[in-house]
Amino acid sequence: MSGTLYHIRPVIADDIASVALLHVAVWQEAYRGMLPDPFLDAISVERREAMWRRTVEEQDSPALVAEHTGRIVGFLLGGPARDEDAVQAVTSEIYALYVAPDRWRTGAGAQLMHEGLSVLREQSYQEVTLWVLRANERARRFYERMGFQTDGSEKVDEHVGVTFDEIRYRLEFIEPVRSSLT
């Protein structure tokens, strides 16, 4: 399956329910053992649907899905960097990149990342950052294979009693790449 080609396209309103379900399922699988089970088990599909509805309505950031044989198997969401130290006109951020566990290591994540980076480059950003749980070795290896490097920034956030220990990765754009979506 590593040579599978995925159809990468923007998220549309008809995708919201599927993307929200995938979002919750991937969180519950990917972060099991890194975050407390009660927290993961309580993640709300309805709240994810509301988030994705706002995202689709705004359409000002890369919000992409990967499809295979009519099934949405992954998504990427990006936009302007949210960090206080970011230069807004220069720095973008990947907010989320998730792929169904049965599609891990098949190329879906890499294809989503490539397309998302292309869209961000076309929006004239010069670099992109992302935050990842320090304990998420699988994701960290993926980002490093994609050319990202840690930049020394760390943060520990607490949300509903759960601690998120994260590190930031950064990738500088060297040359523009054209998106196949335009």
Side-chain angles (χ1 to χ4, degrees), residues 107-163:
Q111 289 174 41
L112 276 164
M113 181 64 84
H114 176 75
E115 203 61 53
L117 294 174
S118 294
V119 172
L120 292 168
R121 285 180 184 139
E122 288 176 356
Q123 293 177 346
S124 300
Y125 288 109
Q126 297 173 21
E127 63 184 5
V128 62
T129 60
L130 58 83
W131 289 93
V132 63
L133 288 177
R134 184 184 309 273
N136 194 343
E137 292 294 329
R138 182 185 46 78
R140 291 178 61 185
R141 284 189 304 271
F142 169 78
Y143 295 132
E144 289 165 6
R145 282 192 308 272
M146 296 300 299
F148 285 82
Q149 296 179 343
T150 58
D151 70 3
S153 293
E154 306 175 345
K155 66 180 176 180
V156 177
D157 286 332
E158 191 168 313
H159 178 67
V160 296
V162 176
T163 301

Side-chain angles (χ1 to χ4, degrees), residues 37-100:
D37 287 350
F39 171 78
L40 293 171
D41 294 339
I43 295 173
S44 163
V45 172
E46 292 78 17
R47 289 183 66 183
R48 294 294 179 192
E49 282 182 359
M51 184 216 74
W52 281 102
R53 194 169 295 107
R54 285 188 307 276
T55 298
V56 168
E57 289 168 0
E58 293 169 6
Q59 287 292 325
D60 61 350
S61 300
L64 308 171
V65 292
E67 275 186 318
H68 183 65
T69 62
R71 175 181 161 222
I72 293 174
V73 299
F75 63 85
L76 176 140
L77 181 61
R82 300 171 290 184
D83 297 322
E84 289 180 14
D85 65 346
V87 178
Q88 292 302 310
V90 172
T91 308
S92 59
E93 182 178 349
I94 300 295
Y95 308 139
L97 172 62
Y98 293 104
V99 172

